Every structure is written in structure tokens, then in C-alpha cells.
Amino acid sequence: QVQLVESGGGLVQAGGSLRLSCAASGRTFNNYAMGWFRQAPGLEREFVAGINWSGSRSSYADSVKGRFTISRDNAKNTVYLQMNSLKPEDTAVYYCKGYSDVYYYTRVDQSGYWGQGTQVTVSS
């Protein structure tokens, strides 16, 4: 059974930092892209960041560019999201996605694998 388990969420003041982790089990994602999405209350789930299978390519939503960094450790089957200079508008449930391809894409669909989500709350 494939599982993606996110951790590292919490409550932080504006301007602070958090590091999210997503540990995969039941399948190695070394040959597949990984990504982070988020969903704020009343809004649709949206793409935050994606990284290809080797970690050589990544991209970000415009709203987080320059503040968030996605990375991966294939030896640990884990992907990370370093979030700096957090803003109240970053408040959301953050979801990890394991793609079924070597490259990521930004649309939200039911393909691949999803974690259960971790809450990030940024206070002003």
C-alpha cells in the first residue's frame, strides 16, 4: 500500500519559516516527480511547487516564488518544502503528491498518489 505522509505543519507568525516533509512508503518515487499543492478554506486546491525525478528541475507558483524551495532526498524517499517569509495568505492545508511520471504538471487531478495533508496557519 502506497502512503505519503506529510509532517512539519503548524502555526507560525507572519515572516516566519516552516519546513514540510513528505515521506513515501510502499513504493519508491525515485523515478517519479513529486509536488506540493495547497487548499485554503473555500478555495480550490492549487499547485505550489514541483520537482522532477532527479531533482534537477523545479518550478513554483508565482505566489510563492522566491520564498519557497522544494527539494528531495531519493535515498530517503522524501520530498521537502522549505517555506520562508510566510504570509497569512499562505494559510492552507498542504498536500504532497507523487506523480506517475518523471515530470510534474500543475493541474489538479486524481492521478498519482496524494498525502492526507498538513495544516499550515500563518498569523498576522
Side-chain angles (χ1 to χ4, degrees):
Q1 182 182 358
V2 178
Q3 279 192 315
L4 298 176
V5 179
E6 301 97 335
S7 61
L11 174 63
V12 64
Q13 288 188 331
S17 298
L18 284 174
R19 188 194 194 203
L20 305 184
S21 299
C22 171
S25 62
R27 180 191 191 192
T28 178
F29 282 92
N30 294 355
N31 296 322
Y32 299 95
M34 301 289 290
W36 288 95
F37 289 71
R38 68 186 181 186
Q39 187 167 16
L43 300 179
E44 294 185 348
R45 193 172 297 190
E46 63 177 2
F47 173 82
V48 174
I51 189 166
N52 73 332
W53 69 277
S54 67
S56 63
R57 297 187 69 176
S58 60
S59 63
Y60 302 87
D62 286 344
S63 58
V64 307
K65 205 170 292 184
R67 300 188 296 122
F68 290 12
T69 303
I70 187 172
S71 61
R72 66 189 298 162
D73 185 337
N74 284 345
K76 296 182 178 179
N77 219 19
T78 299
V79 64
Y80 306 96
L81 186 68
Q82 177 67 44
M83 305 186 295
N84 299 329
S85 302
L86 282 161
K87 304 175 181 180
E89 51 263 44
D90 294 318
T91 295
V93 177
Y94 283 71
Y95 296 91
C96 173
K97 177 182 173 80
Y99 292 81
S100 299
D101 201 346
V102 298
Y103 204 66
Y104 50 87
Y105 47 83
T106 62
R107 71 179 183 273
V108 178
D109 61 25
Q110 297 307 307
S111 68
Y113 301 90
W114 290 88
Q116 82 290 347
T118 185
Q119 177 70 46
V120 171
T121 302
V122 185
S123 63
S124 57

